[in-house]
Amino acid sequence: MSLLRWLRSKPKEAASSQTIDAEAVRSDESHSPAPDKVKIGLQSILQNLPPHLRSLVKQQLPDAELDLPLAEIQPQLATGKIAIRSSTFRAALPDTVRSAFDGLESNLKIPIPIRAIFSQLPEEALSRPPEQELEKPAETIETPFSSHVEEDALRFDSKGKLVPPASKPAPESKKPQPTIWTKNPELVKELQAMLMTDETLDYPKVLQHLKQLPGLHSCQLNGDDGRKIAGGTADASQEAAISSLVPNLFKTLDAHVKEMHLEPLETVTFTCGKDQLSAFLHDHLCLTVLHDNRPFRPGIREKIQAVVRQLARIDAA
Amino acid sequence: MPIINYASKEIQFKIVYYGPALCGKTTTLIYIHSRLSPNHRGDLISLATAADRTLFFDFLPVNAASLQGFKTKFQLYTVPGQVIYNATRQLVLRNVDAVVFVADSQWGKMEDNVESLRNLGENLEKQNLSLDELPYVLQFNKRDIPDIAPINYLEYLLNNRRTRIKSFETIASTGFNVFATLDRATQLLLHKFNRENAKLVPGLKQEK
C-alpha cells in the first residue's frame, strides 16, 4: 500500500516541478532577451534612418521594443556599421506598427545604431584575435617632445580636463598689469575714433564693430603664425581652416608680389561662388572677413585696412 | 625611410598623421606647432589646393636626440581625409617613417575610421610597407564630447592586427595627450632606426 501511495504521488511531484520550471522559463523570457537577441527601441532605429528611408515612414509611430538577432549583427561589428535585412526588421516589429513599413523593399538594409545595442553585446562579441601579441615595451628614449609630455601631464587631469593653475596669493599692491590696450592710450583713442565709439576696446570688441560694416558677415583675427586671437565664424572647421591657411597663403602671395616688383600686398579677396573672403595682413596680424558677393562699398576696404594697421601698431607698442 | 645629410649632420624623419576627414589631424598639428618654441620649429605651411588641407612644417629641435653625432629633424604631415583625395595621401605617405592614426571617437564615425585605416594599409602596401613593421600609434580623438564610443570598441575596431599597439585617448582641441602620442611615435621610430643602423652607413638615402 505504501508503495502504491508513493507511485501515485510521483507523477504529481513531477508535474508540479515541471510547472515551476516552465514558469521560471516564461519569467526569464519576459524580463531579459534570449542570449541570441538584442533589444532596441523602434524610435532609435527611425531617428538613425537616412532621409530616403525616413521618407518611407508616412506616419508618427509609437515606440516599441524590437528583438534583433545577434547572429545578423555580430559579424558586422568589425565594420563600424550595422544594417539588418528589411525582412528581419519587419519580422521583429510588433503587429501594431508592421503595416507602416509595408513599402519597404525586400533588398533594403536598415541601419542599426551600434550605440543603442552596444551594452547588450556579449563579451565574446568583441574578442581579440587569439594570436595577437602585445607590443613589446622598449627602453624609453628622450625625444624632443618628452618635455612637452611632462608639461602637459601637469596641465591636465587623468580625464583630460585642464587643471586650473594653483592660485597664488593676491599681491599686496592692487595695480592692474598693463595690457596692450592700456599701455598706449593715444593709439587706442585713434582706434576708437576710427570705429566712432567711446567704448573700452579689446580685440573681440573691435571685431564686433567691424562686423557692423555693410556686407560683412564674420571676422576672424589671427596671428601670422595661424594662432587665433579673436572672432570667428559659425563653422568650427572653417575657423580652423582660416587659421591654418589664410596667413600663410597671404605671405606666399606677398612674396610673389615682391618678385614682380610691385608695392607690398595689402589685401586679397577670393570670390568663391556666392561667398567672398578677404584677408588683410599687417605686421603680425591677419584679419579675415567673410562678406557679400559684391565689391566692398566705397571706403569699407580702406577702413578695414586702417583698423588692421592700427591694431598692429597697438600690438607692437 | 629617414634621410641622412652628412654635410649638415642631420637625419630627417617623416611622421604622417592619417585618419578620416574632420577627425582632428589638423587641430593636432596646430596644437603641436603652437606649443613648440618658434626657435625650434619652422612655419606651419599648408600644401593645399582648393580643398586639400595637408599641413607640413619643419621642426628642428635644439636639444635633439643625438644619434651618433647627427641631429634629428622631424617633419610632421597631415593628409586630407576626404575619400576623393587618395592620390594626395599616397604622395604624402612616400618615405614615411612613422604613422599616427587619428580616429574620431564619435559613434557615427566608426565606419569612416575603419575605411580610413583600410585605406592606409592599402596605400602603404603600394610602397611595400606594412603597419606590421612601420612605427605606428593610435590616437583616439575627441574624447571630450558626448556620444562617443567606448575605448574597448575602438580597440576592437582599429587595434586588431598581429601586434596590439599603444593607443592614446586625446582631445586635440586642448592638446590632451597629443604630445604623449607624438612622443610615442618618435620613440618607436628612433628605436627602429637604431636597430637598423647600428652604424650609419653610406648606403642609406642621403643628400649632399
Side-chain angles (χ1 to χ4, degrees), chain A residues 176-317:
Chain A
Q177 294 294 320
T179 68
I180 59 166
W181 301 100
T182 56
K183 270 198 284 190
N184 288 284
E186 290 306 315
L187 292 177
V188 176
K189 270 196 194 137
E190 287 172 13
L191 182 60
Q192 285 172 319
M194 285 179 197
L195 297 171
M196 294 187 288
T197 181
D198 294 329
E199 196 184 7
T200 309
L201 291 177
D202 54 23
Y203 284 125
K205 286 193 184 133
V206 170
L207 297 194
Q208 278 298 323
H209 280 283
L210 284 178
K211 258 178 73 175
Q212 307 303 318
L213 292 172
L216 268 62
H217 301 313
S218 55
C219 302
Q220 182 169 320
L221 186 67
N222 291 90
D224 67 345
D225 59 353
R227 171 183 47 100
K228 188 179 132 179
I229 297 172
T233 73
D235 183 341
S237 57
Q238 189 178 62
E239 281 185 15
I242 289 173
S243 295
S244 60
L245 296 175
V246 173
N248 284 321
L249 186 59
F250 197 106
K251 285 192 283 188
T252 305
L253 291 171
D254 186 41
H256 288 306
V257 162
K258 285 188 173 92
E259 285 168 14
M260 291 189 269
H261 305 294
L262 295 172
E263 296 275 337
L265 187 65
E266 292 175 344
T267 169
V268 62
T269 295
F270 298 97
T271 300
C272 316
K274 60 176 173 45
D275 301 318
Q276 287 215 346
L277 181 150
S278 291
F280 303 78
L281 193 143
H282 197 80
D283 284 349
H284 298 297
L285 293 181
C286 178
L287 178 72
T288 307
V289 301
L290 299 179
H291 52 100
D292 284 346
N293 184 20
R294 58 186 177 196
F296 282 117
R297 287 200 192 158
I300 299 297
R301 185 186 292 276
E302 290 76 10
K303 180 157 190 169
I304 299 174
Q305 269 176 273
V307 168
V308 174
R309 262 189 237 118
Q310 193 68 7
L311 284 175
R313 289 177 68 198
I314 292 170
D315 187 63

Side-chain angles (χ1 to χ4, degrees), chain B residues 35-181:
Chain B
R35 285 291 309 285
L36 294 173
S37 163
N39 296 330
H40 299 167
R41 58 152 170 83
D43 287 340
L44 184 62
I45 299 170
S46 170
L47 299 176
T49 57
D52 279 0
R53 293 168 64 184
T54 304
L55 292 177
F56 162 93
F57 70 92
D58 281 329
F59 170 62
L60 176 65
V62 171
N63 298 318
S66 172
L67 294 176
Q68 303 175 51
F70 282 68
K71 281 188 199 162
T72 53
K73 181 174 176 177
F74 297 90
Q75 291 184 328
L76 275 59
Y77 289 81
T78 69
V79 295
Q82 290 82 357
V83 171
I84 58 170
Y85 294 124
N86 198 41
T88 308
R89 286 195 289 278
Q90 288 172 357
L91 276 175
V92 175
L93 275 177
R94 280 202 194 151
N95 300 315
V96 64
D97 295 302
V99 170
V100 177
F101 185 84
V102 184
D104 192 325
S105 294
Q106 296 178 91
W107 272 116
K109 298 292 184 181
M110 293 300 113
E111 190 187 1
D112 292 346
N113 289 330
V114 170
E115 170 54 28
S116 180
L117 188 60
R118 186 205 62 76
N119 175 256
L120 170 61
E122 199 176 74
N123 283 336
L124 287 174
E125 205 180 302
K126 288 179 178 157
Q127 299 185 47
N128 296 319
L129 293 172
S130 163
L131 285 174
D132 291 326
E133 280 94 38
L134 195 62
Y136 158 54
V137 183
L138 283 169
Q139 178 173 321
F140 299 142
N141 196 34
K142 303 189 186 178
R143 297 307 299 172
D144 59 328
I145 61 177
D147 199 33
I148 54 175
I151 291 299
N152 63 334
Y153 185 52
L154 287 163
E155 289 277 342
Y156 168 79
L157 270 192
L158 305 171
N159 205 354
N160 53 17
R161 301 185 67 86
R162 193 172 66 207
T163 304
R164 182 174 167 187
I165 61 167
K166 195 142 169 61
S167 58
F168 293 86
E169 295 183 61
T170 68
I171 306 169
S173 55
T174 61
F176 174 63
N177 264 350
V178 163
F179 273 109
T181 314

Side-chain angles (χ1 to χ4, degrees), chain A residues 74 76-82 114-115 118 125-129 131-146 148-149 151-152 155-162 225-226 237 240-241 243-245 248 251, chain B residues 22 26 30-31 33 35-36 41 43-46 48 53 55 59 61 65 74 107 110-111 114 136 147 150 152-153 155-157 159-166 171 174-176 179-180 182-184 186-188 190-191 194:
Chain A
Q74 193 160 329
Q76 302 179 63
L77 284 172
T79 67
K81 179 184 78 164
I82 291 173
I114 303 178
R115 63 175 161 311
F118 186 77
L126 299 182
S127 56
R128 299 194 162 273
E131 68 280 4
Q132 191 181 51
E133 303 167 338
L134 279 178
E135 196 172 39
K136 291 187 181 62
E139 181 195 334
T140 303
I141 300 179
E142 183 83 11
T143 77
F145 312 108
S146 300
H148 295 283
V149 176
E151 284 166 17
D152 281 355
R155 291 176 60 225
F156 298 101
D157 64 17
S158 58
K159 298 263 187 284
K161 283 199 165 58
L162 280 162
D225 59 353
S237 57
S243 295
S244 60
L245 296 175
N248 284 321
K251 285 192 283 188
Chain B
L22 300 175
T26 302
I30 289 175
Y31 176 77
H33 181 259
R35 285 291 309 285
L36 294 173
R41 58 152 170 83
D43 287 340
L44 184 62
I45 299 170
S46 170
R53 293 168 64 184
L55 292 177
F59 170 62
F74 297 90
W107 272 116
M110 293 300 113
E111 190 187 1
V114 170
Y136 158 54
D147 199 33
N152 63 334
Y153 185 52
E155 289 277 342
Y156 168 79
L157 270 192
N159 205 354
N160 53 17
R161 301 185 67 86
R162 193 172 66 207
T163 304
R164 182 174 167 187
I165 61 167
K166 195 142 169 61
I171 306 169
T174 61
F176 174 63
F179 273 109
L182 177 57
D183 183 62
R184 175 69 179 179
T186 310
Q187 294 214 20
L188 287 173
L190 289 175
H191 275 298
N194 283 339

